[in-house]
Amino acid sequence: MDIINSIISLGASVMMPVIFFIIALCFGVKSGTAFKAGMLVGIGFEGVGLVITLLLTNLGPASQAMVEHMGLHLTVVDTGWPMASTIGWGSPLMLPVVIGFIIINVLMLLLKFTRTVNIDIFNYWIFLLTGSVVYAGTGNYWLAVAITFAIFILTLLAADFTAPYLQKNYNLKGISFPHLTCIAYVPFGIICNYILERLPGIKNIKFDPESINKRFGVLGEPMTLGFVLGLLLALLAGYSLAAAATLAIKVSAAMLLLPKMIDILVQGLLIVRDAAEVRLKQRFPNRDFYIGMDTALLIGEPSVLATGLLLIPVAVVLAVILPGNRVLPFVDLASLMFLLAMVTPFCRRNMFRMLVSGTLIVTAILYVGTDLATEYTQAAVNSGIAVPSGMNEVTNLVGGATTPVGWLATKLGELVSTAP
């Protein structure tokens, strides 16, 4: 566990260059080119991290100010994905689950059950968090481990299914995204798009970045859209005009810079992917393989960023009006855009359809968070985390445990554990 924790603590911007350098060498890339590929991936991850941090650290206080401005008082507090990842990595399930994931992925590749080589080990916390909540609800250690393995297997299969759509939409050939939090909401996008496509009038609403840009010119460009949405969020949070302008500029900067940082990362990915494709085709002529990556690569899409920003006030309003909801959206409000990352291709980048899908997704999250609040809070305690003072129960919005998959896994585990 100490070795695994030491590796994880290095962060993506340090570990990813090492991993890609080694992978490149294994596929016959010259050492100089392999070093360049690793460095580009590392620099890209660092750049993406810096821009996302810029975005989240400024949106977070604005989102929280909006909640306070509206005077919301709900008993289950969203403490955000940073605490959720700590629960996951501190889980009693950590050691067998992480080792099991590596073995399962290798076996599935050898048996041709998956094409995805999942190197996104940093997001294992999402599966671990889900398993921790199952364990908290059942008290059965090995049942929780088994259910976590089953979810991991299903996620790899879903990553294979969604890869062609994401590769086409984001121009990322050879990449898949075995990211439980995001992949769990793909059905929402598919179903919403199917229904809206068949409603007279509504089916003609076209609200993608290109249409906006074509109609409004510079006013429709991503940086302008970011400025307007940042200004709107700041005003809803009760910011002064000066503070609102500052937030608007920072959101606008993120909208412009994030795609550029992702482009740097992708340059490194392409070097390794092309070499891997050649070597693997020689050895496995009838097979294709995908490199499993973090959905942070998808956040630079303007439709994802813009719709994610619109979803923040929507989530706050939903928390107020949904009957029976006890979840107070708080820390994770700024991260809601991640929920749309894999929905986008299935909604054809139409932000109207993405917003409808996002509204349904947040509704599901609030009800799941309400229902699993006791188990989630116990999972935090099991991981050695004290519930913050003044909070009865905790949850988070952007994590595997609060997806419909997490809810079904927990309820199934509880049903099995109580069966005679």
Side-chain angles (χ1 to χ4, degrees):
M1 290 178 70
D2 287 340
I3 293 171
I4 293 170
N5 282 324
S6 297
I7 294 171
I8 297 302
S9 66
L10 293 174
S13 60
V14 176
M15 274 309 300
M16 283 313 217
V18 176
I19 291 172
F20 273 88
F21 176 72
I22 294 170
I23 292 174
L25 291 178
C26 290
F27 287 117
V29 177
K30 294 180 179 179
S31 58
T33 306
F35 175 77
K36 179 182 178 181
M39 289 300 295
L40 284 171
V41 169
I43 292 167
F45 261 110
E46 189 65 25
V48 169
L50 287 171
V51 178
I52 289 178
T53 300
L54 169 72
L55 189 63
L56 299 188
T57 53
N58 286 280
L59 281 179
S63 303
Q64 293 166 20
M66 189 190 309
V67 170
E68 294 166 1
H69 193 63
M70 295 184 68
L72 295 185
H73 299 287
L74 298 165
T75 58
V76 182
V77 180
D78 156 37
T79 51
W81 71 264
M83 180 174 170
S85 65
T86 305
I87 295 171
W89 286 117
S91 167
L93 313 180
M94 199 268 272
L95 188 60
V97 165
V98 170
I99 294 173
F101 281 178
I102 295 169
I103 295 171
I104 287 170
N105 197 181
V106 171
L107 288 175
M108 288 181 69
L109 287 165
L110 292 174
L111 296 172
K112 300 183 180 181
F113 290 159
T114 186
R115 298 177 178 181
T116 295
V117 183
N118 186 13
I119 63 172
D120 185 26
I121 61 173
F122 303 98
N123 282 317
Y124 279 2
W125 70 264
I126 298 171
F127 298 98
L128 287 164
L129 173 66
T130 307
S132 298
V133 172
V134 173
Y135 178 45
T138 63
N140 188 322
Y141 185 89
W142 291 111
L143 176 62
V145 170
I147 289 175
T148 308
F149 285 161
I151 293 172
F152 182 71
I153 292 168
L154 291 173
T155 302
L156 288 176
L157 297 176
D160 289 348
F161 168 76
T162 55
Y165 301 95
L166 294 163
Q167 289 171 14
K168 182 179 179 181
N169 189 85
Y170 292 99
N171 194 26
L172 290 170
K173 184 182 176 184
I175 308 296
S176 67
F177 296 90
H179 193 284
L180 175 60
T181 300
C182 300
I183 216 164
Y185 299 115
V186 167
F188 284 75
I190 294 173
I191 294 170
C192 279
N193 187 73
Y194 179 84
I195 294 172
L196 296 175
E197 187 72 32
R198 284 155 180 78
L199 294 179
I202 291 177
K203 68 179 182 181
N204 298 322
I205 298 175
K206 192 174 182 181
F207 203 53
D208 58 69
E210 288 76 21
S211 299
I212 296 171
N213 194 7
K214 184 177 179 180
R215 184 171 182 179
F216 297 103
V218 68
L219 296 177
E221 291 185 5
M223 63 178 180
T224 309
L225 193 59
F227 182 87
V228 172
L229 291 173
L231 196 63
L232 174 64
L233 290 174
L235 295 176
L236 289 173
Y239 276 20
S240 66
L241 189 58
T246 300
L247 177 64
I249 289 292
K250 291 183 183 296
V251 173
S252 179
M255 293 280 282
L256 183 65
L257 293 175
L258 196 51
K260 298 183 184 300
M261 296 300 104
I262 291 172
D263 284 344
I264 295 173
L265 194 157
V266 170
Q267 288 178 41
L269 282 177
L270 290 177
I271 295 172
V272 178
R273 187 207 69 192
D274 292 345
E277 189 173 42
V278 171
R279 186 60 63 90
L280 289 171
K281 282 293 184 184
Q282 292 173 348
R283 187 151 190 182
F284 305 100
N286 298 319
R287 294 191 65 185
D288 292 319
F289 293 91
Y290 304 140
I291 299 174
M293 296 291 289
D294 188 349
T295 49
L297 287 178
L298 309 180
I299 301 303
E301 159 65 43
S303 62
V304 174
L305 279 172
T307 313
L309 293 172
L310 290 171
L311 206 53
I312 293 174
V314 170
V316 176
V317 171
L318 287 173
V320 175
I321 66 174
L322 288 177
N325 171 59
R326 295 191 296 119
V327 172
L328 175 68
F330 203 55
V331 178
D332 263 350
L333 278 170
S335 301
L336 291 178
M337 63 194 71
F338 282 90
L339 303 177
L340 300 169
M342 295 183 70
V343 169
T344 304
F346 300 94
C347 291
R348 301 179 183 177
R349 299 176 69 244
N350 186 324
M351 291 188 284
F352 171 73
R353 297 181 184 185
M354 289 168 64
L355 186 60
V356 173
S357 301
T359 302
L360 294 176
I361 288 169
V362 172
T363 300
I365 289 171
L366 293 176
Y367 279 128
V368 169
T370 296
D371 193 48
L372 294 184
T374 301
E375 291 93 334
Y376 191 103
T377 306
Q378 185 58 49
V381 173
N382 291 346
S383 295
I385 298 172
V387 177
S389 177
M391 298 183 186
N392 295 324
E393 294 176 312
V394 294
T395 188
N396 85 299
L397 304 181
V398 184
T402 50
T403 63
V405 174
W407 183 82
L408 285 170
T410 304
K411 294 304 173 183
L412 177 62
E414 290 173 348
L415 183 65
V416 171
S417 64
T418 56

